[in-house]
Amino acid sequence: MTNLSPFVYWSQTKNTLLLKVDLKDAKGAIADFSPVSVNFSANGYGARGVNAYKFQLHFYSLIDDETAGFVVSDNKIELQIRKLEPAWWPRLVATPQKPHWLKIDFDRWRTEDDAELEDKPRDVREDYEKEYAELQKRELGYIKGQLGHRYQCTEVKSNEGFYSVAEKTKKVYMIIYNLAMFVGYLYMVAVMGVLYYRDGAESIGKMYANVGNAFKFVQLLQYLEVMHPLFGYTKGSPVVPFFQVSGRNFILFLMIDMEPRMHAKPVVFYVFVIWSLVELVRYPFYLSQLLGREVGLLTWLRYTIWIPLYPMGILSEGIIILRNIPYIDETKRFTVEMPNTWNITFDMVIFLKIYLLLLILPGSYMVMSHMDKLRAKKLGRGRAKRRQQHLHAD
């Protein structure tokens, strides 16, 4: 069976290529990029009706396959590609003979001459600057607009300088914060490692006594991550970090710290190790992003290490809650019984059972699915070379 190819319309700038694939209601679109080519396939409504379409292109020069991607909308698919070296290509494909289905997108077509025409319009007064200044002096007695222009330039430069200093201050603060948190977790892992190496399994029951206060300090400090998006230091919503930090602090302060019988439990040691390993990857990853350095291994660990650690962390936290239920039932801690001034009742044991169900079922699913989407988005492009961004056209 002959492979069907859709019509492809291409355009370029000095730095980028844009390929528009003429397919409507496309499904299962896949684009495999390499530095010299692209292989595309999708099902949709094209020149031959509803069919499976595919094509392969070998480019005239090299492209940046790591950043290439595509966007699917209702009536087309756009492949967005960056050239490895900025240059105007005389043609898209390597061979002089192009496929019959490859067309020029005249609506977006630009050449090197077009780019030059889009520069700032030429001012003839700049060609005769001295003559124009003398004419203004003779006619007006001063050079028109010079004083105002200087004031406006000074004001613009002042504003630019202010925002530049503010952004640099934010960046320095974020570097210091992430570095400090990394050092904090590294210190606790080092202490636990030294104790375990020296005393063996006997040290497990003493871990909370040795690193409990340090854990409480860094966990409280993590509430700054709730404030960061509120004040524009980071992007995103403060809701997600609030629930993440509060969930850990609920376990640490209410389930462990306030129940002395939990301090020597091995599960406390396990949850401390799991939390620390997650953060010993997360904070260096954030530092590398702030410094503009992409470390492949660190990126892979950031979006992969959660696969074994998150289920173990959820399991450990669930065990801590289960072990606390008989203790709280015995001491009636946090339980409000009738009669009382406010005429209300609250059963902490029932609350913990409900919390445990929410943690294990919807809570773990939401966290794991969120991280899986992030991993597919971050690693799917660089590793598998498959770029698939499903955006619904407005």
Side-chain angles (χ1 to χ4, degrees), residues 259-292:
E259 179 49 68
R261 286 173 287 185
M262 287 295 300
H263 293 181
K265 301 295 184 185
V267 70
V268 174
F269 167 71
Y270 300 146
V271 83
F272 280 0
V273 171
I274 293 167
W275 288 353
S276 299
L277 290 178
V278 170
E279 305 302 5
L280 285 178
V281 172
R282 187 166 71 99
Y283 287 114
F285 172 77
Y286 290 159
L287 280 170
S288 70
Q289 298 298 302
L290 289 166
L291 297 174

Side-chain angles (χ1 to χ4, degrees), residues 214-260:
F215 259 101
K216 288 189 287 184
F217 176 76
V218 295
Q219 286 301 135
L220 287 175
L221 204 60
Q222 279 192 334
Y223 273 112
L224 288 173
E225 297 178 23
V226 182
M227 308 300 292
H228 291 161
L230 290 175
F231 292 98
Y233 282 65
T234 58
K235 297 179 181 179
S237 169
V239 176
V240 174
F242 173 77
F243 281 109
Q244 289 177 339
V245 176
S246 297
R248 279 193 185 182
N249 285 334
F250 174 79
I251 298 295
L252 179 59
F253 286 91
L254 301 187
M255 298 291 100
I256 299 175
D257 186 62
M258 298 191 70
E259 179 49 68

Side-chain angles (χ1 to χ4, degrees), residues 243-366:
F243 281 109
Q244 289 177 339
V245 176
S246 297
R248 279 193 185 182
N249 285 334
F250 174 79
I251 298 295
L252 179 59
F253 286 91
L254 301 187
M255 298 291 100
I256 299 175
D257 186 62
M258 298 191 70
E259 179 49 68
R261 286 173 287 185
M262 287 295 300
H263 293 181
K265 301 295 184 185
V267 70
V268 174
F269 167 71
Y270 300 146
V271 83
F272 280 0
V273 171
I274 293 167
W275 288 353
S276 299
L277 290 178
V278 170
E279 305 302 5
L280 285 178
V281 172
R282 187 166 71 99
Y283 287 114
F285 172 77
Y286 290 159
L287 280 170
S288 70
Q289 298 298 302
L290 289 166
L291 297 174
R293 302 292 181 89
E294 187 72 25
V295 182
L297 177 61
L298 194 58
T299 302
W300 183 84
L301 285 173
R302 170 71 180 101
Y303 293 101
T304 305
I305 199 171
W306 64 270
I307 296 176
L309 292 185
Y310 275 27
M312 289 191 293
I314 293 171
L315 177 62
S316 299
E317 293 174 13
I319 292 173
I320 290 173
I321 294 174
L322 280 174
R323 296 298 296 268
N324 264 277
I325 288 177
Y327 297 150
I328 292 177
D329 191 30
E330 173 190 338
T331 61
K332 301 299 181 183
R333 189 185 301 112
F334 311 118
T335 298
V336 179
E337 297 179 331
M338 295 285 285
N340 56 68
T341 306
W342 301 280
N343 200 31
I344 60 172
T345 183
F346 175 75
D347 193 327
M348 186 63 178
V349 173
I350 294 178
F351 172 80
L352 288 179
K353 292 178 180 178
I354 296 173
Y355 182 88
L356 190 60
L357 287 175
L358 294 176
L359 173 69
I360 293 175
L361 297 177
S364 59
Y365 172 77
M366 291 174 62

Side-chain angles (χ1 to χ4, degrees), residues 180-211:
M181 295 298 287
F182 170 71
V183 171
Y185 279 101
L186 185 62
Y187 162 77
M188 291 182 291
V189 168
V191 171
M192 290 190 291
V194 169
L195 289 174
Y196 190 85
Y197 177 78
R198 187 187 67 186
D199 302 330
E202 294 180 0
S203 65
I204 292 178
K206 305 173 184 177
M207 288 301 179
Y208 188 80
N210 287 280
V211 297

